[in-house]
Amino acid sequence: MISMREGLLLCGCLLLVAACAGRADASNPSSAGAANGAGAANGAGAFGAAGSGAGGATPTACTIDAPSAQQLAATPRANTNLELLALKFSSGVVADQAIYDRLVRDIALIIARDPSVSDIPYFPPHDGKQLLLRTDARTVGAMESGSYTDWNCLNDTYGLEDVNFNTGTISFAELTLKGIYDLERLAKDYARLSAIESVSPNISGGDGPTICVTRGDDTWHYVFDRADGDCLAGCIAHEYHHFTVSTSGTVTALGALTTAERAIYATREVCH
């Protein structure tokens, strides 16, 4: 399993090899043009994009719907895994406190009822903390020297803890933030900054055991998926444990999933 940052570094090495091959074949204009076109495509595709923001960027632009100071102070919470799950059902960059509290309570009740599922965590799409900002080598240099100030407001708001820079064939900055955030939403704010080409969470990919949740007005359904078998490419074996928890805290074990339910809970949209 490799992270997005490692993928970028690998892509940069491949682009460098391609560039050298292009120079060696400079006598063939059509071949050189094809190599350059492929390099540009690989550079854009490998990074992914939650947004691109070089055009129309606003210096020191901050999020227009920034969380309150109280919300920012609440993250990271004691259970960061369930905080990441709470983000899935929240409407902002920070997880909704009531949703987080409900998840923590319900899952504790389920585990008390059936301790066999206590080792099954939620498998999140990202870690909630790391963003990759793709830009050019000049901007990375300005970031390292401290002369790039457009990101100061966002970094201060969300608590920049660490940053790593790469100025190879593909230039980027890897940010580690204080809290647990909806990085897809937050990426859109960083993508509006000047000279930023694209922004995305530093995802690792793969698959694994997880907790799937569907919510009703009163009753929430929890399916603990003990996934296994070639999970790097996508788990091929699944053992499901299905429970419901009511608003009042009543836990019901529903046993095996029906065929229709298995189809629902096998989708990444429901379970990740």
Side-chain angles (χ1 to χ4, degrees):
M1 180 179 298
I2 64 171
S3 68
M4 185 71 78
R5 178 179 184 274
E6 291 167 330
L8 277 174
L9 293 173
L10 176 60
C11 183
C13 292
L14 293 175
L15 287 174
L16 185 59
V17 171
C20 291
R23 284 195 296 270
D25 195 29
S27 60
N28 186 337
S30 62
S31 173
N36 290 339
N42 288 339
F47 192 85
S52 60
T58 303
T60 64
C62 249
T63 175
I64 58 174
D65 56 350
S68 68
Q70 182 179 8
Q71 290 173 312
L72 290 169
T75 186
R77 293 171 170 87
N79 190 326
T80 55
N81 183 254
L82 294 186
E83 186 174 6
L84 286 164
L85 178 54
L87 281 172
K88 180 176 179 179
F89 304 104
S90 302
S91 59
V93 173
V94 176
D96 181 273
Q97 186 66 45
I99 293 172
Y100 169 78
D101 290 341
R102 174 73 184 261
L103 291 171
V104 169
R105 186 207 68 168
D106 287 3
I107 290 175
L109 290 171
I110 291 170
I111 290 173
R113 170 73 178 267
D114 184 355
S116 71
V117 301
S118 63
D119 62 335
I120 302 176
Y122 170 60
F123 189 93
H126 52 71
D127 68 357
K129 294 180 69 70
Q130 290 191 332
L131 279 175
L132 290 177
L133 280 60
R134 185 175 173 186
T135 182
D136 54 75
R138 180 178 179 180
T139 302
V140 169
M143 290 172 170
E144 285 192 274
S145 69
S147 60
Y148 182 87
T149 59
D150 288 13
W151 64 354
N152 288 0
C153 178
L154 287 171
N155 289 348
D156 291 344
T157 298
Y158 294 103
L160 179 66
E161 288 190 331
D162 190 28
V163 59
N164 293 305
F165 300 103
N166 182 74
T167 53
T169 305
I170 297 178
S171 299
F172 61 88
E174 177 191 55
L175 279 60
T176 301
L177 304 172
K178 175 190 79 72
I180 299 296
Y181 304 115
D182 185 331
L183 295 183
E184 297 291 348
R185 293 178 186 271
L186 189 51
K188 295 176 182 178
D189 289 321
Y190 275 93
R192 285 195 289 266
L193 300 178
S194 64
I196 302 300
E197 297 173 10
S198 62
V199 184
S200 70
N202 186 21
I203 58 176
S204 295
D207 202 356
T210 193
I211 303 171
C212 315
V213 182
T214 56
R215 302 183 300 155
D217 292 337
D218 174 71
T219 300
W220 291 18
H221 288 251
Y222 295 85
V223 173
F224 290 72
D225 178 7
R226 192 182 301 282
D228 198 3
D230 194 25
C231 284
L232 184 60
C235 303
I236 58 176
H238 299 270
E239 176 188 305
Y240 297 108
H241 301 261
H242 190 187
F243 305 86
T244 61
V245 184
S246 67
T247 301
S248 62
T250 300
V251 178
T252 304
L254 298 182
L257 296 176
T258 65
T259 300
E261 287 173 335
R262 289 180 69 90
I264 293 172
Y265 289 106
T267 63
R268 294 190 66 86
E269 290 75 14
V270 173
C271 291
H272 295 280

